[in-house]
Amino acid sequence: MELKIYNSMTQQKEIFTPKVPGKVSMYVCGVTAYDLSHLGHARAAVAFDVLYRYLQHAGYEVTYVRNFTDVDDKIIRRANEIGENPISLSNRYCQEYLVDMADLQCLPPTHQPRVSDHMEQIKDMITQIINNDCAYVVDGDVFFAVDKSPNYGQLSGQKLEHTRAGERVAVDSRKRNPADFSLWKAAKPGEPSWDSPWGPGRPGWHIECSAMSAQYLTFKFDIHGGGIDLIFPHHENEIAQSYAACQESSVSYWMHNGHVTNNNEKMSKSLGNFFTIRQITERYHPLALRHFLINAYYRSPLNYTVLQLESASDAVFYIYQTLQDCEVALSSFREGNLKEGTGLKEGKVPRITPAAQDCINKLHSEFQTRMSDDLNTSHILTGAFQDALKFINSSLNMLKKKQPKQQQLSMFQSLVEVENEVKSVLGILGLMPPGTYSEVLEQLKAKALKRAGLVEEDVLRLIEERATARKNKDFARSDQVRADLSAKGIALMDMGKETIWRPCVPVEQEQEAPTVEIEQKKAAATEQEKKAGATGEEQKAAPAAATGEEQKAL
């Protein structure tokens, strides 16, 4: 399918056609490294990582550049506050960002340039802009003259007479036009500086990306990305200064991801609803966070709530438990057939069932349709993907039953091929765990225990307490133990004579202390159930013990 991308410049979806057939050049604005990165940074990184992976999956050779801003007012201010060298502080937070990116399974870009390493390229570009009469020098500062940019505002829709000065600088009376912006800032005491033809100083904010994108991708490249908040002034100014330096400057597609909100309020430090990536991954698995970020269209606002993150955590546990069960069952089946000498004959692959083929076709078609439509990952792991997981779970039960050998081999091959299609989808989305399924499942359980304020010994003790209560027919206590743990995000499942636990979305209890009337109704119901041969507790436990599918879905 042809990939369609929403181009912020034309404000419409366009068929993606790279400038060089088979090759894609992509630049994404990275972080200003002065603190731990936050959820908004994670969203941008994951959105463009999915694009990077999908383009590679489509067979393109991708050159992906994502920069670090390591020279900036915010960095200098923070460094002065704590008495640290600005470059040293920024380098430290660059490394922390890379740790977060690795946790989120974002592939390393082809190049990750830093401003401090590209001063010569920046100064050369400023010189070219001055020579082209599009910038002017005042007391060691260099300003870009927006009046010399006839198409200024083409990306953002801002009219020149209505534009404001850049968000990071106050209006300077020395400017010819209030909208003019800094290309070079004269040195100030206590700030890092570099020699230049205009005197010692450092770059303005916007020039760095124009210089570094030109360095690694030339002035003509395919995709420029970043958060929607960068459209103005940052990307608007990039367009103006790049064109002023080289009139052949051209970016084919401008892509922007949406804001992140917290309970429908914009995230900000001033409101106190601001979360770093590290704060979230201390309590939730990074793959749960990635699932949460992917499960929304990248251009739409993303509302962060604890419930949605809990749901994402529950979803990835179900996915990996299903794949773990499948892996174990297929391995066991292979070993059993080898011992019996009835394995697959070389060169002969059993035909998969029509149901399996239909499952694969629907998953492949739905995934490609959504991804080719401007990477619309919203609910991409529902629908046909969930149907594939259900097929795996139901087929695992069938594989255990006695049936003719050819049917068994067909079911085995069906599982192999459906499993491969599921793993292919997860791989493109960056959701395949780096280790074994067992390892990631244990990590997810450890995070759930941490959120619940428990250790596993606490859960095992309560499981034993519940078993004793059931033995003594104290079903009220038995139910209460289960409910208390469910409220903390721990689900109990009865597997024959054994009870196991797994993480779940915390279930709020409507009433912690039942009234006498409710107790009387429960007692009456229990008496009726005894006559029918089953208790309320046993009725709830029965579905949990029925199939692997039901156990994981609880």
Side-chain angles (χ1 to χ4, degrees):
M1 294 183 181
E2 291 179 315
L3 171 61
K4 291 183 180 179
I5 288 178
Y6 182 87
N7 189 346
S8 299
M9 180 66 79
T10 60
Q11 297 184 30
Q12 63 183 8
K13 292 178 184 177
E14 300 175 355
I15 294 173
F16 177 70
T17 305
K19 292 180 181 297
V20 179
K23 296 184 177 182
V24 177
S25 47
M26 178 169 76
Y27 186 95
V28 175
C29 292
V31 297
T32 300
Y34 71 99
D35 203 345
L36 291 173
S37 296
H38 55 68
L39 192 56
H41 296 138
R43 188 181 195 193
V46 169
F48 289 103
D49 180 68
V50 170
L51 174 61
Y52 184 31
R53 289 172 178 269
Y54 187 67
L55 290 170
Q56 289 180 318
H57 165 73
Y60 290 107
E61 179 185 332
V62 186
T63 302
Y64 175 21
V65 183
R66 185 184 65 209
N67 75 297
F68 281 111
T69 297
D70 63 346
V71 180
D72 183 80
D73 292 343
K74 292 181 179 179
I75 297 169
I76 294 167
R77 193 179 306 120
R78 175 63 58 83
N80 289 340
E81 286 172 0
I82 63 175
E84 186 174 353
N85 177 278
I87 299 298
S88 172
L89 177 138
S90 186
N91 180 64
R92 182 156 53 85
Y93 283 116
C94 287
Q95 296 306 315
E96 295 290 359
Y97 177 81
L98 294 176
V99 170
D100 288 337
M101 292 302 99
D103 284 345
L104 289 172
Q105 293 199 171
C106 291
L107 297 174
T110 316
H111 304 286
Q112 299 188 75
R114 302 187 187 193
V115 176
S116 60
D117 295 329
H118 293 78
M119 287 298 168
E120 294 307 313
Q121 291 87 345
I122 290 170
K123 287 185 286 186
D124 288 346
M125 180 170 281
I126 294 172
T127 299
Q128 189 62 45
I129 294 172
I130 293 172
N131 291 342
N132 290 340
D133 196 31
C134 292
Y136 55 95
V137 182
V138 181
D139 302 327
D141 289 302
V142 182
F143 294 104
F144 182 88
V146 294
D147 292 326
K148 298 297 181 74
S149 180
N151 295 319
Y152 192 78
Q154 61 183 313
L155 177 65
S156 63
Q158 294 269 4
K159 299 294 183 182
L160 188 55
E161 59 269 24
H162 298 149
T163 55
R164 307 180 310 276
E167 291 181 0
R168 299 191 182 192
V169 293
V171 176
D172 190 327
S173 61
R174 299 174 301 162
K175 293 180 180 180
R176 297 175 184 172
N177 184 316
D180 292 350
F181 55 88
S182 294
L183 297 178
W184 188 264
K185 296 183 177 184
K188 295 178 182 177
E191 294 186 356
S193 63
W194 288 260
D195 290 333
S196 80
W198 322 286
R202 58 186 174 87
W205 174 27
H206 314 294
I207 190 67
E208 63 187 65
C209 288
S210 288
M212 290 190 285
S213 61
Q215 170 70 17
Y216 292 95
L217 304 174
T218 77
F219 279 97
K220 297 180 179 181
F221 58 97
D222 297 308
I223 298 170
H224 196 315
I228 195 170
D229 55 313
L230 296 180
I231 291 178
F232 185 85
H234 186 53
H235 288 166
E236 195 70 73
N237 291 350
E238 273 194 64
I239 293 170
Q241 64 200 7
S242 292
Y243 183 80
C246 175
Q247 291 190 357
E248 295 182 358
S249 172
S250 169
V251 173
S252 300
Y253 307 89
W254 288 86
M255 299 179 68
H256 296 92
N257 64 273
H259 287 300
V260 178
T261 58
N262 183 1
N263 293 320
N264 295 312
E265 267 191 323
K266 184 179 177 181
M267 277 195 175
S268 71
K269 290 181 178 178
S270 60
L271 292 174
N273 62 354
F274 183 90
F275 297 103
T276 65
I277 299 170
R278 205 69 57 87
Q279 284 174 317
I280 296 172
T281 55
E282 281 177 1
R283 295 174 58 81
Y284 294 91
H285 198 285
L287 286 172
L289 175 55
R290 186 178 177 101
H291 182 285
F292 163 71
L293 294 169
I294 285 173
N295 201 35
Y297 181 32
Y298 78 93
R299 291 183 55 236
S300 301
L302 176 63
N303 187 40
Y304 170 86
T305 66
V306 170
L307 179 58
Q308 288 196 48
L309 204 48
E310 289 282 358
S311 297
S313 185
D314 194 57
V316 293
F317 190 94
Y318 171 56
I319 292 169
Y320 301 140
Q321 184 66 67
T322 298
L323 293 175
Q324 159 79 352
D325 292 346
C326 184
E327 187 177 79
V328 169
L330 293 179
S331 177
S332 177
F333 186 82
R334 287 189 187 97
E335 290 176 4
N337 277 271
L338 285 173
K339 288 179 182 178
E340 296 172 10
T342 57
L344 298 175
K345 293 182 180 179
E346 189 175 349
K348 289 192 175 182
V349 178
R351 180 175 296 178
I352 66 174
T353 66
Q357 190 62 61
D358 184 57
C359 183
I360 292 168
N361 291 344
K362 285 181 177 178
L363 177 54
H364 183 80
S365 175
E366 184 175 297
F367 182 74
Q368 294 297 338
T369 299
R370 287 173 180 263
M371 291 297 286
S372 63
D373 184 19
D374 194 33
L375 304 178
N376 189 1
T377 58
S378 176
H379 308 298
I380 202 165
L381 295 177
T382 59
F385 184 84
Q386 289 298 315
D387 290 342
L389 297 180
K390 290 175 184 177
F391 176 88
I392 290 173
N393 281 302
S394 61
S395 299
L396 289 175
N397 293 326
M398 292 293 294
L399 197 63
K400 297 173 185 175
K401 295 179 180 179
K402 286 189 175 181
Q403 53 185 319
K405 179 56 65 176
Q406 196 57 39
Q407 287 184 21
Q408 270 196 329
L409 292 174
S410 177
M411 183 58 68
F412 168 83
Q413 190 62 30
S414 296
L415 274 168
V416 168
E417 295 191 24
V418 172
E419 178 200 34
N420 286 341
E421 191 67 27
V422 166
K423 291 196 300 187
S424 173
V425 167
L426 293 175
I428 296 167
L429 296 176
L431 284 170
M432 279 297 290
T436 65
Y437 299 127
S438 295
E439 289 170 346
V440 73
L441 289 168
E442 286 304 312
Q443 291 163 2
L444 284 159
K445 291 176 76 172
K447 295 287 187 183
L449 288 171
K450 186 172 185 177
R451 295 194 297 275
L454 301 170
V455 294
E456 188 158 28
E457 288 73 15
D458 296 328
V459 177
L460 297 178
R461 175 179 54 78
L462 288 167
I463 288 174
E464 187 61 33
E465 182 181 330
R466 176 172 169 270
T468 301
R470 294 180 74 189
K471 186 176 180 181
N472 295 333
K473 301 188 184 305
D474 184 357
F475 299 114
R477 178 56 188 156
S478 173
D479 287 349
Q480 191 63 53
V481 170
R482 180 195 283 261
D484 288 346
L485 286 173
S486 291
K488 293 183 177 182
I490 305 295
L492 299 184
M493 299 182 296
D494 298 313
M495 311 272 291
K497 295 182 179 180
E498 181 186 11
T499 299
I500 63 173
W501 73 273
R502 57 148 288 178
C504 69
V505 177
V507 179
E508 291 187 11
Q509 298 181 60
E510 293 182 7
Q511 195 169 3
E512 292 187 6
T515 63
V516 173
E517 182 181 358
I518 293 174
E519 286 284 15
Q520 289 173 343
K521 287 182 180 179
K522 185 184 285 188
T526 301
E527 194 61 36
Q528 289 178 346
E529 288 158 0
K530 283 181 181 177
K531 292 176 182 177
T535 67
E537 173 66 15
E538 290 166 340
Q539 288 174 341
K540 283 183 286 187
T547 69
E549 170 65 18
E550 291 163 339
Q551 291 159 10
K552 290 190 282 285
L554 279 177

